[in-house]
């Protein structure tokens, strides 16, 4: 019996987080340096229908029936079985591995879901198209985050830079010049759900103020899209910095994030801002590739627990399903 493996990258939001939940646009790119990888293999000795989940990174080793029905992994498996029309699969084991840090704004949940859905559907002989994979992964995100915009599952499913808006879906981003981003992790775990809830509470208290900030962020994102498409690096940097100021006003930055943002700018980054839910997790800086290592070292000295340098090429390669 073959082993089917699928992988999915992490992601980073370049601009527009939080406002994207309120139907403003956002930009996101895949981050290939971190990956979720799911392998599916047949258990010839086990009875039909037995699905075993092994996720050594999180010390999980369990039968599907031992997970609550609304567990994200159970939702991903059951959603896939339903989508491919298989009620009782042959006995199988899903081996789930991921180097995407959890609760850090790098899309760990969506990466695992996308890899799992792709691998399981392919194993059962019915590989799913991107649209179906994306819809299933979104359902899992809803369980994890409550009111996700859908940007994480979309950028990870399609594995390309995207301009995303909730009501209109996504458009591929036509990046015209290579760019280098430096991602640095504060080490502070910050579940997206909680950050989204605090923004929601502020919005309920003072909708006019929040809406004005969302509008400002929406305008920044549209201008940033044009800057990316026209290769205007300096404009993009200024817009990222403006986005960070608006995110601070939304109360989703934190002392640790501010410290890393300041350290990046002081070390020569062109721009720096938090990325994702905020209140911890990661920041992202636009940097001169020749200085990326040096700025990364400055960020580690300022307290970053992990730094990733990622290059955005005009034509990012897509990820596929491997058979071995
Ligand atoms: O924390 P992350 O990177 O998973 O992203 C959250 C992005 C938000 O805009 C805050 C929420 C969302 O669903 O888009």
């Amino acid at each position: 019996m073959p082993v089917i493996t699928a992988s999915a990258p992490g992601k980073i939001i370049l601009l527009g987080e939080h406002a994207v939940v309120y139907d403003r646009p956002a930009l996101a790119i895949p981050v290939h340096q971190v990956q979720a990888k799911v392998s599916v293999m047949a258990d010839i000795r086990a009875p039909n229908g037995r699905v075993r989940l092994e996720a050594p990174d999180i010390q999980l080793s369990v039968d599907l029936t031992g997970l609550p029905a609304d567990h994200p992994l159970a939702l991903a498996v059951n959603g896939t079985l339903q989508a491919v029309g298989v009620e009782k699969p042959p006995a199988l084991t899903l081996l789930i591995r991921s180097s995407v840090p959890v609760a850090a704004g790098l899309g760990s949940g969506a990466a695992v879901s996308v890899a799992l859905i792709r691998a399981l559907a392919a194993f059962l002989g019915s590989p799913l198209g991107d649209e179906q994979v994306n819809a299933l992964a979104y359902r899992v995100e809803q369980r994890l985050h409550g009111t996700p915009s859908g940007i994480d599952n979309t950028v990870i499913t399609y594995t390309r830079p995207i301009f995303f808006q909730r009501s209109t879906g996504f458009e591929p981003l036509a990046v015209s010049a290579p760019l280098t981003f430096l991602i640095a992790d504060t080490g502070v775990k910050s579940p997206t759900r909680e950050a989204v809830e605090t923004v929601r509470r502020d919005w309920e208290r003072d909708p006019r103020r929040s809406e004005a900030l969302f509008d400002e962020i929406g305008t920044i994102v549209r201008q940033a899209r044009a800057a990316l498409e026209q290769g205007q690096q300096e404009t993009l940097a200024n817009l990222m910095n403006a986005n960070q100021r608006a995110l601070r006003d939304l109360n989703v930055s934190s002392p640790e994030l501010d410290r890393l943002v300041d350290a990046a700018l002081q070390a020569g980054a062109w721009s720096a801002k938090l990325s994702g839910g905020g209140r911890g997790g990661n920041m992202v800086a636009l940097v001169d590739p020749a200085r990326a290592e040096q700025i990364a070292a400055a960020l580690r000295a300022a307290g970053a627990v992990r730094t990733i340098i990622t290059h955005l090429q005009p034509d990012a390669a897509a990820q596929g399903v491997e058979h071995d």
Side-chain angles (χ1 to χ4, degrees), residues 104-184:
L106 287 170
S108 60
V112 167
S113 297
V114 167
L116 188 157
I117 294 162
R118 285 220 164 102
L120 181 57
F123 179 86
L124 295 169
S126 306
L128 296 173
D130 286 342
E131 212 172 307
Q132 274 176 300
V133 171
N134 197 27
L136 284 171
Y138 180 63
R139 291 227 299 269
V140 182
E141 288 288 286
Q142 282 177 311
R143 163 72 190 94
L144 280 171
H145 298 316
T147 54
S149 62
I151 190 169
D152 280 22
N153 47 281
T154 304
V155 66
I156 289 170
T157 298
Y158 290 89
T159 323
R160 59 186 308 165
I162 59 167
F163 173 90
F164 176 91
Q165 192 163 352
R166 230 177 148 157
S167 58
T168 50
F170 83 98
E171 290 168 46
L173 209 52
V175 180
S176 67
L179 294 168
T180 300
F181 293 97
L182 173 58
I183 300 163

Side-chain angles (χ1 to χ4, degrees), residues 11 13 17-18 20-21 105-106 145 147-149 151-152 192 196 276-277:
K11 71 97 205 2
I13 296 181
E17 49 276 272
H18 286 292
V20 69
V21 175
L106 287 170
H145 298 316
T147 54
S149 62
I151 190 169
D152 280 22
T192 302
V196 169

